[in-house]
Amino acid sequence: MSPTRVLVLNSGSSSVKYQLLDMRGSDRLAVGLLERIGEETSRLKHTPAGGGSREWSGSIPDHESALKAVAAELAKDGLGLDSPELAAIGHRVVHGGRHFTEPTVIDDAVLAEIERLIPVAPLHNPANLTGIRTAQALRPDLPQVAVFDTAFHTTMPESAARYAIDVETADAHRIRRYGFHGTSHAYVSRETARLLGRAPEDVNVIVLHLGNGASASAVRGGRCVDTSMGLTPLEGLVMGTRSGDMDPAVIFHLMRVGGMSADEIDTLLNKRSGLIGLCGDNDMREIRRRVDAGDERARLAFDIYIHRLKKYIGAYYAVLGRVDAVAFTAGVGENAAPVREAAVAGLEGLGLAVDGGLNAVRGDTARLISPADARVAVAVVPTDEEMEIATQTYALVIGSGGSAGSENLT
Ligand code: AMP
């Protein structure tokens, strides 16, 4: 019988998130997180199926040691990386540029292209590459698949993907809108169609992925036609620590008048802006607690967040022409009823409304929160990026027998 397990690895600069899944029944066999790689106080939290988390803390100097620690933890449950039941390792890769429109079996040409994209993803792609190389060293015989955050957005038309700047300059530096969170937008738009009992090809959805990072997408018949993040994840919605949209001239102003360097402004806009810059907190739970206690700064931060969100709902309504559903997902989207309520308040003219009772119900499954007679469905759809990565990885490896995928490099 063919092997049925897929290990999903999400390698950050100082962390590795992982899940081991069995694709026969889409079962999660283990999930875990190793944080603070390179510090004295690295920490591993490992949860096998059925619960009973194990925690370990100590010094993990690099990604190689990290993956070995993960493998050792999995082995304790009889799920080691040497298992013949492991079919493939699926890697989240943040930036796939224009070339990678599909998940791709990793070979040397694919690695070289991911490396070539480092200038447009300086924080993410190097860590992703390290994770891949480490996993390859541990299991050189096993197919390793890259699943790109950008892939779902490669269907965007040029009218949405291009910035209105000089074409030669843009092309010379590969400046265009790539979009991110693609596996989440793909999964959630498909699950929303399923919730409506319709085929994805027949459904137009606005997906609002509201986590610490946040992005919106307009999905027509299962294909992305616009998304709010751009060359980098900085564009678009107000996020936990990122500004989202702004007049680009703010940057020149900060350089010329504020005397700030490019790196300082980068840090300002990516790490010290958004909700945390506006009110000092980036956790929506804390912001709501402060709003309810009458805190003015938290109220203003919340209002700015909602105003931007509403603008994107309106814009993507216009882009799609007909909208069947608006789907909320990720940490804020799945949990913050006040955000969902405020985001569609006043949009009855567009056929959008939230039922207060349904919106208040907490849950971890996909559900509708719009009134039964609403023209446009409003849904909460928990995202599952790891399952999507595993599904895509498994389909590719089992479908192709694990052959190299660099034909995607055009
Ligand atoms: P994510 O990036 O998808 O993991 O989302 C993380 C964010 O979700 C946190 O920073 C919080 O702002 C938000 N969040 C998580 N749980 C809740 C909750 N129960 N209510 C409101 N916001 C939440």
PDB file of all heavy atoms in Angstrom, residues 98 153 156-178 225-227 229-231 235:
ATOM      1  N   ARG A  98       6.265  34.806  -9.694  1.00  0.00           N
ATOM      2  CA  ARG A  98       5.243  34.573 -10.725  1.00  0.00           C
ATOM      3  C   ARG A  98       5.293  33.146 -11.239  1.00  0.00           C
ATOM      4  O   ARG A  98       4.362  32.666 -11.865  1.00  0.00           O
ATOM      5  CB  ARG A  98       5.474  35.503 -11.920  1.00  0.00           C
ATOM      6  CG  ARG A  98       5.284  36.952 -11.579  1.00  0.00           C
ATOM      7  CD  ARG A  98       5.472  37.807 -12.801  1.00  0.00           C
ATOM      8  NE  ARG A  98       4.375  37.623 -13.740  1.00  0.00           N
ATOM      9  CZ  ARG A  98       4.299  38.227 -14.924  1.00  0.00           C
ATOM     10  NH1 ARG A  98       5.276  39.020 -15.304  1.00  0.00           N
ATOM     11  NH2 ARG A  98       3.282  38.028 -15.717  1.00  0.00           N
ATOM     12  N   HIS A 153      -2.678  33.348  -5.869  1.00  0.00           N
ATOM     13  CA  HIS A 153      -2.928  34.696  -6.403  1.00  0.00           C
ATOM     14  C   HIS A 153      -2.357  34.900  -7.806  1.00  0.00           C
ATOM     15  O   HIS A 153      -2.517  35.987  -8.375  1.00  0.00           O
ATOM     16  CB  HIS A 153      -2.348  35.745  -5.450  1.00  0.00           C
ATOM     17  CG  HIS A 153      -2.859  35.622  -4.045  1.00  0.00           C
ATOM     18  ND1 HIS A 153      -4.206  35.668  -3.739  1.00  0.00           N
ATOM     19  CD2 HIS A 153      -2.219  35.433  -2.876  1.00  0.00           C
ATOM     20  CE1 HIS A 153      -4.360  35.522  -2.433  1.00  0.00           C
ATOM     21  NE2 HIS A 153      -3.176  35.377  -1.892  1.00  0.00           N
ATOM     22  N   MET A 156      -4.445  36.365 -10.709  1.00  0.00           N
ATOM     23  CA  MET A 156      -4.896  37.770 -10.777  1.00  0.00           C
ATOM     24  C   MET A 156      -4.609  38.346 -12.162  1.00  0.00           C
ATOM     25  O   MET A 156      -3.505  38.154 -12.700  1.00  0.00           O
ATOM     26  CB  MET A 156      -4.133  38.634  -9.761  1.00  0.00           C
ATOM     27  CG  MET A 156      -4.716  38.619  -8.385  1.00  0.00           C
ATOM     28  SD  MET A 156      -4.050  39.972  -7.389  1.00  0.00           S
ATOM     29  CE  MET A 156      -2.392  39.446  -7.064  1.00  0.00           C
ATOM     30  N   PRO A 157      -5.558  39.046 -12.737  1.00  0.00           N
ATOM     31  CA  PRO A 157      -5.276  39.691 -14.021  1.00  0.00           C
ATOM     32  C   PRO A 157      -4.231  40.792 -13.868  1.00  0.00           C
ATOM     33  O   PRO A 157      -4.027  41.318 -12.772  1.00  0.00           O
ATOM     34  CB  PRO A 157      -6.629  40.277 -14.430  1.00  0.00           C
ATOM     35  CG  PRO A 157      -7.402  40.419 -13.177  1.00  0.00           C
ATOM     36  CD  PRO A 157      -6.907  39.347 -12.235  1.00  0.00           C
ATOM     37  N   GLU A 158      -3.582  41.142 -14.979  1.00  0.00           N
ATOM     38  CA  GLU A 158      -2.559  42.186 -14.931  1.00  0.00           C
ATOM     39  C   GLU A 158      -3.119  43.488 -14.362  1.00  0.00           C
ATOM     40  O   GLU A 158      -2.417  44.236 -13.686  1.00  0.00           O
ATOM     41  CB  GLU A 158      -1.998  42.449 -16.332  1.00  0.00           C
ATOM     42  CG  GLU A 158      -1.023  41.390 -16.805  1.00  0.00           C
ATOM     43  CD  GLU A 158       0.243  41.344 -15.964  1.00  0.00           C
ATOM     44  OE1 GLU A 158       1.125  42.184 -16.170  1.00  0.00           O
ATOM     45  OE2 GLU A 158       0.318  40.458 -15.088  1.00  0.00           O
ATOM     46  N   SER A 159      -4.390  43.755 -14.633  1.00  0.00           N
ATOM     47  CA  SER A 159      -4.987  45.012 -14.149  1.00  0.00           C
ATOM     48  C   SER A 159      -4.974  45.077 -12.625  1.00  0.00           C
ATOM     49  O   SER A 159      -4.940  46.166 -12.047  1.00  0.00           O
ATOM     50  CB  SER A 159      -6.412  45.158 -14.685  1.00  0.00           C
ATOM     51  OG  SER A 159      -7.161  43.997 -14.375  1.00  0.00           O
ATOM     52  N   ALA A 160      -5.014  43.930 -11.966  1.00  0.00           N
ATOM     53  CA  ALA A 160      -4.972  43.915 -10.495  1.00  0.00           C
ATOM     54  C   ALA A 160      -3.543  43.724  -9.984  1.00  0.00           C
ATOM     55  O   ALA A 160      -3.210  44.189  -8.901  1.00  0.00           O
ATOM     56  CB  ALA A 160      -5.865  42.794  -9.956  1.00  0.00           C
ATOM     57  N   ALA A 161      -2.719  43.031 -10.768  1.00  0.00           N
ATOM     58  CA  ALA A 161      -1.400  42.648 -10.257  1.00  0.00           C
ATOM     59  C   ALA A 161      -0.343  43.731 -10.461  1.00  0.00           C
ATOM     60  O   ALA A 161       0.657  43.774  -9.759  1.00  0.00           O
ATOM     61  CB  ALA A 161      -0.933  41.351 -10.918  1.00  0.00           C
ATOM     62  N   ARG A 162      -0.562  44.610 -11.455  1.00  0.00           N
ATOM     63  CA  ARG A 162       0.451  45.634 -11.741  1.00  0.00           C
ATOM     64  C   ARG A 162       0.217  46.903 -10.948  1.00  0.00           C
ATOM     65  O   ARG A 162      -0.914  47.345 -10.820  1.00  0.00           O
ATOM     66  CB  ARG A 162       0.419  46.008 -13.223  1.00  0.00           C
ATOM     67  CG  ARG A 162       1.297  45.148 -14.058  1.00  0.00           C
ATOM     68  CD  ARG A 162       1.707  45.834 -15.351  1.00  0.00           C
ATOM     69  NE  ARG A 162       2.535  44.917 -16.094  1.00  0.00           N
ATOM     70  CZ  ARG A 162       3.867  44.853 -15.984  1.00  0.00           C
ATOM     71  NH1 ARG A 162       4.512  45.691 -15.205  1.00  0.00           N
ATOM     72  NH2 ARG A 162       4.552  43.969 -16.673  1.00  0.00           N
ATOM     73  N   TYR A 163       1.301  47.481 -10.459  1.00  0.00           N
ATOM     74  CA  TYR A 163       1.222  48.839  -9.919  1.00  0.00           C
ATOM     75  C   TYR A 163       1.329  49.810 -11.085  1.00  0.00           C
ATOM     76  O   TYR A 163       1.981  49.505 -12.102  1.00  0.00           O
ATOM     77  CB  TYR A 163       2.387  49.107  -8.958  1.00  0.00           C
ATOM     78  CG  TYR A 163       2.335  48.298  -7.679  1.00  0.00           C
ATOM     79  CD1 TYR A 163       3.229  47.257  -7.451  1.00  0.00           C
ATOM     80  CD2 TYR A 163       1.387  48.578  -6.700  1.00  0.00           C
ATOM     81  CE1 TYR A 163       3.181  46.519  -6.273  1.00  0.00           C
ATOM     82  CE2 TYR A 163       1.335  47.841  -5.523  1.00  0.00           C
ATOM     83  CZ  TYR A 163       2.234  46.816  -5.316  1.00  0.00           C
ATOM     84  OH  TYR A 163       2.182  46.090  -4.159  1.00  0.00           O
ATOM     85  N   ALA A 164       0.719  50.969 -10.941  1.00  0.00           N
ATOM     86  CA  ALA A 164       0.769  51.952 -12.024  1.00  0.00           C
ATOM     87  C   ALA A 164       2.059  52.760 -11.928  1.00  0.00           C
ATOM     88  O   ALA A 164       2.054  53.966 -11.665  1.00  0.00           O
ATOM     89  CB  ALA A 164      -0.457  52.858 -11.950  1.00  0.00           C
ATOM     90  N   ILE A 165       3.184  52.057 -12.091  1.00  0.00           N
ATOM     91  CA  ILE A 165       4.465  52.754 -12.153  1.00  0.00           C
ATOM     92  C   ILE A 165       5.157  52.361 -13.454  1.00  0.00           C
ATOM     93  O   ILE A 165       4.731  51.426 -14.123  1.00  0.00           O
ATOM     94  CB  ILE A 165       5.370  52.449 -10.932  1.00  0.00           C
ATOM     95  CG1 ILE A 165       5.729  50.959 -10.876  1.00  0.00           C
ATOM     96  CG2 ILE A 165       4.710  52.877  -9.638  1.00  0.00           C
ATOM     97  CD1 ILE A 165       6.732  50.632  -9.766  1.00  0.00           C
ATOM     98  N   ASP A 166       6.220  53.051 -13.782  1.00  0.00           N
ATOM     99  CA  ASP A 166       6.952  52.810 -15.020  1.00  0.00           C
ATOM    100  C   ASP A 166       7.208  51.312 -15.211  1.00  0.00           C
ATOM    101  O   ASP A 166       7.785  50.635 -14.341  1.00  0.00           O
ATOM    102  CB  ASP A 166       8.280  53.569 -14.953  1.00  0.00           C
ATOM    103  CG  ASP A 166       9.178  53.229 -16.119  1.00  0.00           C
ATOM    104  OD1 ASP A 166       8.841  53.648 -17.241  1.00  0.00           O
ATOM    105  OD2 ASP A 166      10.183  52.521 -15.908  1.00  0.00           O
ATOM    106  N   VAL A 167       6.788  50.789 -16.354  1.00  0.00           N
ATOM    107  CA  VAL A 167       6.785  49.346 -16.586  1.00  0.00           C
ATOM    108  C   VAL A 167       8.209  48.765 -16.573  1.00  0.00           C
ATOM    109  O   VAL A 167       8.450  47.704 -15.978  1.00  0.00           O
ATOM    110  CB  VAL A 167       6.073  49.015 -17.925  1.00  0.00           C
ATOM    111  CG1 VAL A 167       6.243  47.552 -18.293  1.00  0.00           C
ATOM    112  CG2 VAL A 167       4.597  49.362 -17.818  1.00  0.00           C
ATOM    113  N   GLU A 168       9.147  49.474 -17.212  1.00  0.00           N
ATOM    114  CA  GLU A 168      10.518  48.937 -17.282  1.00  0.00           C
ATOM    115  C   GLU A 168      11.128  48.845 -15.872  1.00  0.00           C
ATOM    116  O   GLU A 168      11.760  47.849 -15.528  1.00  0.00           O
ATOM    117  CB  GLU A 168      11.422  49.808 -18.179  1.00  0.00           C
ATOM    118  CG  GLU A 168      11.262  49.518 -19.668  1.00  0.00           C
ATOM    119  CD  GLU A 168       9.979  50.119 -20.239  1.00  0.00           C
ATOM    120  OE1 GLU A 168       9.582  51.204 -19.761  1.00  0.00           O
ATOM    121  OE2 GLU A 168       9.366  49.513 -21.136  1.00  0.00           O
ATOM    122  N   THR A 169      10.927  49.903 -15.107  1.00  0.00           N
ATOM    123  CA  THR A 169      11.473  49.893 -13.737  1.00  0.00           C
ATOM    124  C   THR A 169      10.841  48.762 -12.936  1.00  0.00           C
ATOM    125  O   THR A 169      11.531  48.007 -12.231  1.00  0.00           O
ATOM    126  CB  THR A 169      11.196  51.248 -13.033  1.00  0.00           C
ATOM    127  OG1 THR A 169      11.683  52.294 -13.871  1.00  0.00           O
ATOM    128  CG2 THR A 169      11.848  51.307 -11.675  1.00  0.00           C
ATOM    129  N   ALA A 170       9.524  48.636 -13.031  1.00  0.00           N
ATOM    130  CA  ALA A 170       8.824  47.586 -12.279  1.00  0.00           C
ATOM    131  C   ALA A 170       9.351  46.209 -12.673  1.00  0.00           C
ATOM    132  O   ALA A 170       9.675  45.384 -11.807  1.00  0.00           O
ATOM    133  CB  ALA A 170       7.317  47.675 -12.537  1.00  0.00           C
ATOM    134  N   ASP A 171       9.480  45.981 -13.967  1.00  0.00           N
ATOM    135  CA  ASP A 171       9.885  44.645 -14.418  1.00  0.00           C
ATOM    136  C   ASP A 171      11.345  44.348 -14.058  1.00  0.00           C
ATOM    137  O   ASP A 171      11.687  43.208 -13.722  1.00  0.00           O
ATOM    138  CB  ASP A 171       9.668  44.497 -15.927  1.00  0.00           C
ATOM    139  CG  ASP A 171       8.182  44.417 -16.254  1.00  0.00           C
ATOM    140  OD1 ASP A 171       7.374  44.331 -15.292  1.00  0.00           O
ATOM    141  OD2 ASP A 171       7.812  44.448 -17.436  1.00  0.00           O
ATOM    142  N   ALA A 172      12.181  45.386 -14.135  1.00  0.00           N
ATOM    143  CA  ALA A 172      13.597  45.178 -13.823  1.00  0.00           C
ATOM    144  C   ALA A 172      13.766  44.687 -12.380  1.00  0.00           C
ATOM    145  O   ALA A 172      14.681  43.923 -12.081  1.00  0.00           O
ATOM    146  CB  ALA A 172      14.371  46.475 -14.032  1.00  0.00           C
ATOM    147  N   HIS A 173      12.866  45.124 -11.502  1.00  0.00           N
ATOM    148  CA  HIS A 173      12.995  44.758 -10.081  1.00  0.00           C
ATOM    149  C   HIS A 173      11.901  43.800  -9.621  1.00  0.00           C
ATOM    150  O   HIS A 173      11.708  43.612  -8.428  1.00  0.00           O
ATOM    151  CB  HIS A 173      12.995  46.035  -9.226  1.00  0.00           C
ATOM    152  CG  HIS A 173      14.126  46.960  -9.565  1.00  0.00           C
ATOM    153  ND1 HIS A 173      15.424  46.686  -9.207  1.00  0.00           N
ATOM    154  CD2 HIS A 173      14.150  48.122 -10.272  1.00  0.00           C
ATOM    155  CE1 HIS A 173      16.202  47.661  -9.664  1.00  0.00           C
ATOM    156  NE2 HIS A 173      15.457  48.536 -10.315  1.00  0.00           N
ATOM    157  N   ARG A 174      11.190  43.243 -10.599  1.00  0.00           N
ATOM    158  CA  ARG A 174      10.100  42.292 -10.320  1.00  0.00           C
ATOM    159  C   ARG A 174       9.078  42.857  -9.327  1.00  0.00           C
ATOM    160  O   ARG A 174       8.607  42.177  -8.396  1.00  0.00           O
ATOM    161  CB  ARG A 174      10.668  40.976  -9.806  1.00  0.00           C
ATOM    162  CG  ARG A 174      11.562  40.350 -10.849  1.00  0.00           C
ATOM    163  CD  ARG A 174      11.631  38.881 -10.668  1.00  0.00           C
ATOM    164  NE  ARG A 174      12.785  38.493  -9.897  1.00  0.00           N
ATOM    165  CZ  ARG A 174      13.096  37.237  -9.624  1.00  0.00           C
ATOM    166  NH1 ARG A 174      12.318  36.274 -10.028  1.00  0.00           N
ATOM    167  NH2 ARG A 174      14.168  36.950  -8.960  1.00  0.00           N
ATOM    168  N   ILE A 175       8.763  44.154  -9.527  1.00  0.00           N
ATOM    169  CA  ILE A 175       7.803  44.809  -8.649  1.00  0.00           C
ATOM    170  C   ILE A 175       6.405  44.611  -9.218  1.00  0.00           C
ATOM    171  O   ILE A 175       6.099  45.040 -10.333  1.00  0.00           O
ATOM    172  CB  ILE A 175       8.123  46.311  -8.513  1.00  0.00           C
ATOM    173  CG1 ILE A 175       9.466  46.478  -7.787  1.00  0.00           C
ATOM    174  CG2 ILE A 175       7.010  47.045  -7.776  1.00  0.00           C
ATOM    175  CD1 ILE A 175       9.991  47.888  -7.780  1.00  0.00           C
ATOM    176  N   ARG A 176       5.577  43.897  -8.485  1.00  0.00           N
ATOM    177  CA  ARG A 176       4.172  43.727  -8.830  1.00  0.00           C
ATOM    178  C   ARG A 176       3.465  43.212  -7.580  1.00  0.00           C
ATOM    179  O   ARG A 176       4.094  42.982  -6.554  1.00  0.00           O
ATOM    180  CB  ARG A 176       3.983  42.745  -9.991  1.00  0.00           C
ATOM    181  CG  ARG A 176       4.557  41.363  -9.744  1.00  0.00           C
ATOM    182  CD  ARG A 176       4.516  40.506 -10.995  1.00  0.00           C
ATOM    183  NE  ARG A 176       3.216  39.957 -11.291  1.00  0.00           N
ATOM    184  CZ  ARG A 176       2.501  40.244 -12.397  1.00  0.00           C
ATOM    185  NH1 ARG A 176       2.956  41.089 -13.291  1.00  0.00           N
ATOM    186  NH2 ARG A 176       1.356  39.667 -12.615  1.00  0.00           N
ATOM    187  N   ARG A 177       2.169  43.049  -7.673  1.00  0.00           N
ATOM    188  CA  ARG A 177       1.426  42.577  -6.509  1.00  0.00           C
ATOM    189  C   ARG A 177       1.386  41.046  -6.572  1.00  0.00           C
ATOM    190  O   ARG A 177       0.920  40.481  -7.544  1.00  0.00           O
ATOM    191  CB  ARG A 177       0.033  43.198  -6.490  1.00  0.00           C
ATOM    192  CG  ARG A 177       0.117  44.739  -6.659  1.00  0.00           C
ATOM    193  CD  ARG A 177      -1.183  45.477  -6.442  1.00  0.00           C
ATOM    194  NE  ARG A 177      -1.704  45.130  -5.158  1.00  0.00           N
ATOM    195  CZ  ARG A 177      -2.719  44.304  -4.972  1.00  0.00           C
ATOM    196  NH1 ARG A 177      -3.367  43.816  -5.994  1.00  0.00           N
ATOM    197  NH2 ARG A 177      -3.101  44.003  -3.769  1.00  0.00           N
ATOM    198  N   TYR A 178       1.929  40.396  -5.569  1.00  0.00           N
ATOM    199  CA  TYR A 178       1.960  38.927  -5.532  1.00  0.00           C
ATOM    200  C   TYR A 178       0.864  38.361  -4.622  1.00  0.00           C
ATOM    201  O   TYR A 178       0.281  37.333  -4.934  1.00  0.00           O
ATOM    202  CB  TYR A 178       3.321  38.433  -5.032  1.00  0.00           C
ATOM    203  CG  TYR A 178       4.460  38.763  -5.972  1.00  0.00           C
ATOM    204  CD1 TYR A 178       5.290  39.856  -5.744  1.00  0.00           C
ATOM    205  CD2 TYR A 178       4.698  37.980  -7.093  1.00  0.00           C
ATOM    206  CE1 TYR A 178       6.344  40.154  -6.595  1.00  0.00           C
ATOM    207  CE2 TYR A 178       5.741  38.274  -7.956  1.00  0.00           C
ATOM    208  CZ  TYR A 178       6.561  39.362  -7.708  1.00  0.00           C
ATOM    209  OH  TYR A 178       7.593  39.664  -8.559  1.00  0.00           O
ATOM    210  N   VAL A 225      -9.048  36.883  -8.144  1.00  0.00           N
ATOM    211  CA  VAL A 225      -8.956  37.980  -9.110  1.00  0.00           C
ATOM    212  C   VAL A 225      -8.398  39.263  -8.483  1.00  0.00           C
ATOM    213  O   VAL A 225      -8.060  40.202  -9.205  1.00  0.00           O
ATOM    214  CB  VAL A 225     -10.315  38.257  -9.807  1.00  0.00           C
ATOM    215  CG1 VAL A 225     -10.698  37.082 -10.701  1.00  0.00           C
ATOM    216  CG2 VAL A 225     -11.425  38.562  -8.809  1.00  0.00           C
ATOM    217  N   ASP A 226      -8.305  39.303  -7.170  1.00  0.00           N
ATOM    218  CA  ASP A 226      -7.635  40.443  -6.523  1.00  0.00           C
ATOM    219  C   ASP A 226      -7.347  40.073  -5.069  1.00  0.00           C
ATOM    220  O   ASP A 226      -8.059  39.254  -4.482  1.00  0.00           O
ATOM    221  CB  ASP A 226      -8.505  41.710  -6.575  1.00  0.00           C
ATOM    222  CG  ASP A 226      -7.667  42.989  -6.500  1.00  0.00           C
ATOM    223  OD1 ASP A 226      -6.447  42.906  -6.248  1.00  0.00           O
ATOM    224  OD2 ASP A 226      -8.244  44.074  -6.718  1.00  0.00           O
ATOM    225  N   THR A 227      -6.299  40.659  -4.539  1.00  0.00           N
ATOM    226  CA  THR A 227      -5.994  40.452  -3.121  1.00  0.00           C
ATOM    227  C   THR A 227      -5.298  41.688  -2.578  1.00  0.00           C
ATOM    228  O   THR A 227      -4.745  42.483  -3.338  1.00  0.00           O
ATOM    229  CB  THR A 227      -5.162  39.164  -2.915  1.00  0.00           C
ATOM    230  OG1 THR A 227      -5.192  38.827  -1.526  1.00  0.00           O
ATOM    231  CG2 THR A 227      -3.720  39.318  -3.371  1.00  0.00           C
ATOM    232  N   MET A 229      -2.756  42.141  -0.193  1.00  0.00           N
ATOM    233  CA  MET A 229      -1.309  42.259   0.006  1.00  0.00           C
ATOM    234  C   MET A 229      -0.623  42.379  -1.350  1.00  0.00           C
ATOM    235  O   MET A 229      -1.175  41.961  -2.369  1.00  0.00           O
ATOM    236  CB  MET A 229      -0.779  41.055   0.779  1.00  0.00           C
ATOM    237  CG  MET A 229      -1.112  41.111   2.258  1.00  0.00           C
ATOM    238  SD  MET A 229      -0.537  39.638   3.134  1.00  0.00           S
ATOM    239  CE  MET A 229      -0.699  40.185   4.837  1.00  0.00           C
ATOM    240  N   GLY A 230       0.574  42.932  -1.381  1.00  0.00           N
ATOM    241  CA  GLY A 230       1.165  43.257  -2.674  1.00  0.00           C
ATOM    242  C   GLY A 230       2.520  42.629  -2.913  1.00  0.00           C
ATOM    243  O   GLY A 230       2.675  41.415  -2.852  1.00  0.00           O
ATOM    244  N   LEU A 231       3.497  43.470  -3.209  1.00  0.00           N
ATOM    245  CA  LEU A 231       4.876  43.004  -3.386  1.00  0.00           C
ATOM    246  C   LEU A 231       5.343  42.289  -2.117  1.00  0.00           C
ATOM    247  O   LEU A 231       6.056  41.301  -2.168  1.00  0.00           O
ATOM    248  CB  LEU A 231       5.794  44.206  -3.655  1.00  0.00           C
ATOM    249  CG  LEU A 231       7.292  43.934  -3.699  1.00  0.00           C
ATOM    250  CD1 LEU A 231       7.683  43.219  -4.974  1.00  0.00           C
ATOM    251  CD2 LEU A 231       8.096  45.222  -3.560  1.00  0.00           C
ATOM    252  N   GLU A 235       1.064  45.688   2.292  1.00  0.00           N
ATOM    253  CA  GLU A 235      -0.051  46.436   1.689  1.00  0.00           C
ATOM    254  C   GLU A 235      -1.411  45.936   2.185  1.00  0.00           C
ATOM    255  O   GLU A 235      -1.569  44.792   2.567  1.00  0.00           O
ATOM    256  CB  GLU A 235       0.024  46.259   0.154  1.00  0.00           C
ATOM    257  CG  GLU A 235      -0.913  47.165  -0.629  1.00  0.00           C
ATOM    258  CD  GLU A 235      -0.790  46.959  -2.145  1.00  0.00           C
ATOM    259  OE1 GLU A 235       0.181  46.313  -2.602  1.00  0.00           O
ATOM    260  OE2 GLU A 235      -1.675  47.448  -2.861  1.00  0.00           O
TER     261      GLU A 235
END
